[in-house]
Amino acid sequence: MRIVFMGTPDFAVASLDALVSNGFNVVSVVTAPDKPAGRGLKLTESAVKRYAIEKGIPVLQPIKLKDPQFIESLKELNADIQIVVAFRMLPEIVWNMPKMGTLNVHGSLLPQYRGAAPINWAVINGEKQTGVTTFKLKHEIDTGDILLQESMPIGDNETATEVHDRMKIIGANLLVKTLHQLNSGTIQETPQVISADTKHAPKIFTKDCTIQWDQEVEQIHNLVRGLAEFPGAITHLDGKILKIYKSKKEIAPHSFELGKPFTDHKTFLKFSCVNGYLHILDLQLEGKKRMPVADFLRGYKLA
């Protein structure tokens, strides 16, 4: 089986490594072009490209996926199947090219949480369970027939980053299992069925990150968990933007103004919300570095 792998971030590396480690024939990798990063704006390779170079796998980095030269290069690879993990939306001329089609590894139990940020939204919405799906690409994003799925729990205080780090391993193993079953002809493709309770996972924008203090503490805590480590939940402190990366809940009825900060100036900083307080454990105030709350309070006095 000749495989072309398409992916960019660290999440995709786990799947690519699983293919290589299990002896699959990855004939090429397609990943994002190098991008300027850091203070010096030095061109930086994607995590997938770095891994591919280390393993001696040829790399393609098209700027446009409909570029005729890229399409021709892809045809020349004569892939039996393409595998997509955390990559861009593909045009039909690309995903429909191999005889076995294009397989995607998605970080949710489809049809739930179709979209760009399935892990984040599952945590933000307080889900107790998520999972990974392998499916065949079709024209509309994340709509293809399901091949295999594996579920996993989400802990009450687990962050999206922690779910991501567990999920990439589960997804890699599920990909290998899927390919073995495709090879042996033992897999059953299942169409996705949309229902009234189907949730979506669109790209996250700044407005999605802003804390609404008139919500219950559980909802706000879930937002913080779902946006850690990036981009962080946002509020304001003394007129400056405050990003919150880690928190804990305190259930305690009160009559204070919502969003009011409280601190002992040493060990805790908390904000009032509908049914209690959100304790801030890890934060970054505008113009300062990210730090634990105790370090922050040693050098900052609330107005």
Side-chain angles (χ1 to χ4, degrees):
M1 185 187 290
R2 293 175 61 83
I3 296 171
V4 169
F5 184 90
M6 301 182 179
T8 296
D10 178 67
F11 187 89
V13 173
S15 290
L16 179 56
D17 181 60
L19 296 178
V20 173
S21 299
N22 283 275
F24 286 95
N25 182 24
V26 181
V27 296
S28 185
V29 157
V30 181
T31 191
D34 298 353
K35 293 183 178 180
R39 289 186 177 180
L41 295 180
K42 180 180 178 182
L43 282 179
T44 304
E45 302 163 339
S46 72
V48 164
K49 180 181 177 180
R50 287 194 298 271
Y51 179 90
I53 290 172
E54 179 186 319
K55 298 296 181 181
I57 303 171
V59 176
L60 295 174
Q61 294 179 276
I63 296 173
K64 295 183 179 179
L65 295 176
K66 290 183 179 180
D67 179 82
Q69 189 174 344
F70 167 66
I71 297 299
E72 190 58 35
S73 297
L74 209 53
K75 286 179 180 178
E76 289 174 359
L77 291 169
N78 194 29
D80 297 302
I81 192 168
Q82 292 171 160
I83 294 168
V84 177
V85 185
F87 194 56
R88 295 141 66 186
M89 186 174 178
L90 301 181
E92 184 171 357
I93 193 173
V94 172
W95 62 256
N96 203 26
M97 190 180 296
K99 61 184 179 183
M100 294 177 69
T102 298
L103 184 159
N104 185 237
V105 179
H106 186 76
S108 78
L109 297 173
L110 290 173
Q112 292 290 356
Y113 293 107
R114 290 175 175 173
I119 300 174
N120 304 88
W121 283 110
V123 177
I124 289 170
N125 289 337
E127 302 286 0
K128 301 299 183 185
Q129 179 176 276
T130 185
V132 185
T133 303
T134 53
F135 71 100
K136 287 285 190 72
L137 284 191
K138 286 185 177 178
H139 185 67
E140 305 239 345
I141 190 166
D142 297 339
T143 60
D145 291 350
I146 293 169
L147 299 173
L148 293 178
Q149 292 186 316
E150 184 170 338
S151 63
M152 58 180 281
I154 300 176
D156 288 343
N157 294 302
E158 195 170 18
T159 67
T161 302
E162 291 165 338
V163 174
H164 165 282
D165 290 348
R166 290 195 295 121
M167 185 184 284
K168 68 183 180 183
I169 305 303
I170 293 171
N173 293 333
L174 189 68
L175 171 60
V176 170
K177 184 178 178 181
T178 301
L179 287 175
H180 282 311
Q181 291 192 23
L182 280 172
N183 247 340
S184 62
T186 57
I187 208 160
Q188 180 69 44
E189 296 186 21
T190 306
Q192 294 187 42
V193 179
I194 297 296
S195 63
D197 67 348
T198 300
K199 298 170 184 173
H200 299 279
K203 185 177 178 180
I204 290 174
F205 295 96
T206 301
K207 63 180 178 61
D208 302 310
C209 303
T210 303
I211 293 174
Q212 304 297 328
W213 292 110
D214 59 353
Q215 295 180 331
E216 294 187 347
V217 66
E218 293 88 352
Q219 288 177 274
I220 300 172
H221 179 57
N222 290 343
L223 180 69
V224 173
R225 294 192 300 124
L227 298 175
E229 298 283 316
F230 179 85
I234 298 172
T235 190
H236 288 83
L237 183 67
D238 293 339
K240 294 184 177 181
I241 295 172
L242 180 70
K243 287 193 174 184
I244 302 170
Y245 296 102
K246 194 171 184 180
S247 62
K248 69 176 181 180
K249 302 172 291 185
E250 179 188 351
I251 308 296
H254 63 81
S255 57
F256 293 112
E257 175 188 355
L258 298 179
K260 180 179 175 62
F262 296 86
T263 183
D264 63 354
H265 302 288
K266 293 180 181 179
T267 60
F268 77 83
L269 171 63
K270 63 183 183 181
F271 288 79
S272 55
C273 38
V274 168
N275 60 336
Y277 304 90
L278 186 81
H279 284 255
I280 314 307
L281 304 180
D282 194 355
L283 54 82
Q284 183 176 14
L285 188 65
E286 183 180 348
K288 294 184 176 292
K289 294 181 179 180
R290 176 178 170 176
M291 62 187 76
V293 67
D295 292 349
F296 172 75
L297 292 173
R298 272 197 292 269
Y300 187 86
K301 297 299 179 184
L302 267 68

